[in-house]
């Protein structure tokens, strides 16, 4: 049988989920590649991937997707790698440069301005370079490794979007889930994905020590981030948070309508409790 074409986010926060796969788990079933979230979404929409760690906003844009239960990339409180960076108070922000690598975090920024921060800035896709983005705009969305490791320009303030969401809603936030089309992920593949996460959770110090960004390693920052900021569960609170966020995005017109959240079920076999959390 042809291998499942799987795509994962090319950031540090993905490594605990895919560690086991990288070590050979499911080698006969999965073919794994990496991209930034926006490119993963485009590849999934084009049919180039069968399974992807997909930004959750894409559940409303790519039809007929289902979610692998129990696994996600998320946070409860500050996530430390998704920011709005501004040179002025939020009330004075008139233009926001969206991160070209992002889909979900760009939408979250719009939701937070509408619900928590006030104001109605304009939003345009900005340059990847933060200094240039802040020369052209009042604020910029910044995600991923560059947000985690790159110093802020002098005088800039970073507002953590995960923290702002939890302060507003008391809910966790989910940035990405394993999404696929019906019939692609069977019980064995599901077990491989969960075994891969368990393998990664057991070696977080090694993942942090080995990870390189722009030719440098930041093991202490990376380990603190993986242990304290990132959450890889998809339980009832996370599903509730996804519904809340997608409904708010639809109300703002970011998406046409909030999709239903459909998790894969395996008839006749229950999902172990550890996988529900």
């Amino acid at each position: 049988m042809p291998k499942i074409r799987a795509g994962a986010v090319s950031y540090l926060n993905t490594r605990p989920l895919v560690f086991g796969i990288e070590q050979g788990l499911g080698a006969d079933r999965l073919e794994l590649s990496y991209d930034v979230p926006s490119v993963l979404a485009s590849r999934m929409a084009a049919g180039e991937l069968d399974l992807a760690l997909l930004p959750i906003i894409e559940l409303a844009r790519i039809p007929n997707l289902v979610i692998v239960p129990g696994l996600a990339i998320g946070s409860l409180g500050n996530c430390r790698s998704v920011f709005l960076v501004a040179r002025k108070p939020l009330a004075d922000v008139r233009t926001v440069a969206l991160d070209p690598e992002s889909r979900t975090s760009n939408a979250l920024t719009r939701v937070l301005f509408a619900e928590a921060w006030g104001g109605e800035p304009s939003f345009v896709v900005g340059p990847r370079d933060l200094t240039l983005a802040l020369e052209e705009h009042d604020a910029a969305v910044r995600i991923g490794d560059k947000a985690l490791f790159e110093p802020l320009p002098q005088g800039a303030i970073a507002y953590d979007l995960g923290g702002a969401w939890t302060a507003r809603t008391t809910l966790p936030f989910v940035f990405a889930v394993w999404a696929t089309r019906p019939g692609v992920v069977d019980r064995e593949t599901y077990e491989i994905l969960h075994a891969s996460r368990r393998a990664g959770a057991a070696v977080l110090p090694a993942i942090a020590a080995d990870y390189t960004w722009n030719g440098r390693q930041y093991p202490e920052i990376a380990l603190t981030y993986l242990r304290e900021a990132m959450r890889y569960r998809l339980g009832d609170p996370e599903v509730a948070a996804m519904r809340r966020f997608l409904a708010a995005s639809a109300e703002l017109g970011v998406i046409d309508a909030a999709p239903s959240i459909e998790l894969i079920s395996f008839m006749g076999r229950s999902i172990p409790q550890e996988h529900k959390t």
Side-chain angles (χ1 to χ4, degrees):
M1 293 180 62
K3 292 184 179 181
I4 295 171
R5 300 167 298 172
V9 182
S10 56
Y11 299 148
L12 170 63
N13 58 21
T14 300
R15 292 302 188 264
L17 283 180
V18 301
F19 179 81
I21 297 170
E22 289 182 335
Q23 301 304 305
L25 278 176
D28 60 334
R29 282 179 167 255
L30 296 170
E31 181 181 275
L32 184 63
S33 61
Y34 294 93
D35 258 310
V36 298
S38 58
V39 176
L40 281 182
S42 296
R43 292 177 64 197
M44 192 72 177
E48 297 172 4
L49 294 172
D50 307 305
L51 169 69
L53 267 172
L54 203 67
I56 66 165
I57 198 74
E58 299 304 322
L59 298 172
R61 295 171 174 160
I62 303 173
N64 304 319
L65 293 179
V66 292
I67 299 170
V68 177
L71 300 171
I73 297 175
S75 64
L76 180 65
N78 287 345
C79 65
R80 303 187 188 181
S81 62
V82 181
F83 297 131
L84 181 75
V85 181
R87 289 194 182 274
K88 57 179 62 178
L90 289 173
D92 297 331
V93 170
R94 297 293 177 262
T95 62
V96 175
L98 301 177
D99 193 315
E101 297 181 2
S102 171
R103 294 287 175 90
T104 293
S105 301
N106 287 341
L108 176 58
T109 302
R110 298 181 65 172
V111 169
L112 288 170
F113 266 104
E115 294 194 1
W117 295 337
E120 297 182 357
S122 62
F123 300 92
V124 297
V125 176
R128 189 181 185 279
D129 182 85
L130 181 58
T131 300
L132 182 57
L134 291 176
E135 288 175 358
E136 299 175 353
H137 303 277
D138 297 330
V141 179
R142 198 77 170 154
I143 74 164
D145 292 345
K146 60 187 186 295
L148 179 63
F149 297 123
E150 190 173 78
L152 293 178
Q154 187 173 4
I157 300 172
Y159 299 89
D160 190 296
L161 300 191
W165 167 265
T166 298
R168 172 69 180 175
T169 66
T170 73
L171 292 168
F173 193 80
V174 177
F175 293 97
V177 293
W178 280 116
T180 185
R181 294 179 175 86
V184 171
V185 171
D186 60 10
R187 182 75 190 207
E188 185 173 347
T189 305
Y190 163 87
E191 295 289 356
I192 289 167
L193 294 174
H194 276 271
S196 181
R197 178 200 61 80
R198 290 193 296 273
V203 293
L204 291 183
I207 292 173
D210 184 62
Y211 193 75
T212 300
W213 180 76
N214 273 7
R216 293 187 60 187
Q217 293 178 318
Y218 305 83
E220 293 183 3
I221 294 174
L223 183 57
T224 301
Y225 170 67
L226 293 176
R227 279 181 169 169
E228 298 180 5
M230 287 292 94
R231 286 162 56 101
Y232 296 101
R233 55 166 285 162
L234 183 64
D236 291 341
E238 287 75 24
V239 172
M242 291 169 64
R243 292 194 173 111
R244 169 76 166 78
F245 167 68
L246 291 168
S249 297
E251 186 173 344
L252 289 174
V254 177
I255 54 178
D256 292 336
S260 61
I261 305 297
E262 183 177 352
L263 276 64
I264 300 170
S265 62
F266 301 96
M267 298 300 292
R269 301 184 67 180
S270 61
I271 298 171
Q273 186 64 32
E274 65 169 294
H275 290 188
K276 294 181 181 179
T277 60

